[in-house]
Amino acid sequence: MHDNNGGRVVERLLLNCDMGESFGSWRMGLDAEVMPYIDCANIACGYHAGDPGIMRRTVALALEHGVAIGAHPAYPDLVGFGRRSMACSPEEIRDLLHYQIGALEGICKVLGGRVAYIKPHGALYNDMMADPLKLRTVLEAVAAYGSDLPLMLMATADNRTAQALGDEIGVPLWFEAFADRAYTASGHLVSRRLSGAVHHDPARVVEQAERLARGDTLVANDGSALKLAASTLCVHGDNDSSVAAVRQIRQALDAMER
């Protein structure tokens, strides 16, 4: 896309961040510090993290800063932080999604907000990306809750199959990319067990965010060119350096939009 002067116009790349992942007296994340710089807050709904008080405070913080609220549902695995896959039936996945979305929606309602999208967490997110049946189950559950709610899922080298499924079921899709992760040639994340899976250099993280915003190619871990069509970028805010990185990414993307 270009403006009237022939210059390139960059479509806004929404920054999303996992939030509300404290529990009771246990504190995780720097939500208050990172919230001013993001567009979308993925708020834990109690199954992997979060509790009613944490949820309420996080929703209030998001509303204060005009940030869109997303439900961040997970497998019922509080001890494992939702990072362990569970053998849930399609009916169980449907019910755990509706239970968690509804809990967050209730808190949003009394505070004057609403759930604007859904982003599954951890192992549930990974499982739906690896298993078409689970992705269909999640999409059908989201459609049953509210057909206007988008589902956030991972952008890969070829989004067509997922897009076709979203179109069939009637759920808008927000494809997500990562500024601080290395990618395989197929557009999947390099396993954290492998060297170089996570980018720690802030300059490299900001550069990758800019390339994703412009729609430029990335370099996959095998050296090939990789193009990802993404509408949202996942950032992290669990320590001081990550908050600084989010601030730099926000400033860089805002400068590109001017």
Side-chain angles (χ1 to χ4, degrees):
M1 182 165 43
H2 295 78
D3 61 22
N4 292 332
N5 298 318
R8 187 168 180 182
V9 175
V10 176
E11 293 187 13
R12 184 173 179 81
L13 187 67
L14 301 176
L15 298 186
N16 79 81
C17 186
D18 298 349
M19 303 289 238
E21 292 186 322
S22 299
F23 184 79
S25 61
W26 179 57
R27 292 291 177 262
M28 181 173 178
L30 299 173
D31 292 0
E33 288 80 0
V34 75
M35 193 72 82
Y37 302 108
I38 64 171
D39 302 291
C40 304
N42 318 315
I43 300 180
C45 303
Y47 268 29
H48 77 282
D51 58 46
I54 297 294
M55 291 164 70
R56 176 184 286 267
R57 288 195 288 276
T58 311
V59 166
L61 186 64
L63 292 174
E64 176 187 344
H65 290 280
V67 172
I69 294 166
H72 200 36
Y75 286 129
D77 180 25
L78 197 57
V79 171
F81 200 67
R83 289 178 174 163
R84 302 179 293 190
S85 186
M86 300 182 73
C88 294
S89 69
E91 291 77 18
E92 288 173 319
I93 291 174
R94 175 200 64 200
D95 293 344
L96 67 84
L97 285 169
H98 290 166
Y99 184 91
Q100 292 175 83
I101 298 167
L104 185 63
E105 185 78 71
I107 291 173
C108 287
K109 182 177 180 180
V110 298
L111 293 179
R114 65 180 291 266
V115 171
Y117 66 93
I118 313 297
K119 178 187 173 179
H121 165 83
L124 179 57
Y125 184 96
N126 292 335
D127 287 353
M128 79 175 190
M129 292 305 303
D131 184 344
L133 176 59
K134 282 191 171 64
L135 179 57
R136 176 178 286 276
T137 298
V138 171
L139 284 164
E140 289 176 345
V142 171
Y145 188 91
S147 60
D148 63 327
L149 287 177
L151 177 72
M152 196 178 289
L153 71 169
M154 192 180 299
T156 64
D158 188 350
N159 296 333
R160 288 176 296 181
T161 299
Q163 187 63 64
L165 194 56
D167 292 343
E168 175 195 335
I169 297 171
V171 174
L173 302 181
W174 289 358
F175 288 100
E176 172 185 50
F178 297 79
D180 63 348
R181 295 294 302 274
Y183 280 91
T184 67
S186 62
H188 292 85
L189 297 179
V190 173
S191 170
R192 287 181 179 270
R193 294 189 295 270
L194 300 177
S195 176
V198 180
H199 303 324
H200 297 289
D201 179 5
R204 185 174 183 182
V205 172
V206 172
E207 179 195 12
Q208 185 154 309
E210 291 175 330
R211 295 186 71 84
L212 288 163
R214 289 193 299 265
D216 293 344
T217 57
L218 306 180
V219 178
N221 66 336
D222 67 351
S224 63
L226 170 68
K227 191 174 183 66
L228 295 175
S231 56
T232 183
L233 185 72
C234 184
V235 295
H236 303 102
D238 53 358
N239 58 64
D240 289 337
S241 61
S242 64
V243 174
V246 173
R247 187 186 306 116
Q248 291 176 47
I249 291 171
R250 174 84 282 156
Q251 292 169 346
L253 296 188
D254 287 349
M256 293 171 66
E257 292 173 9
R258 295 194 185 106

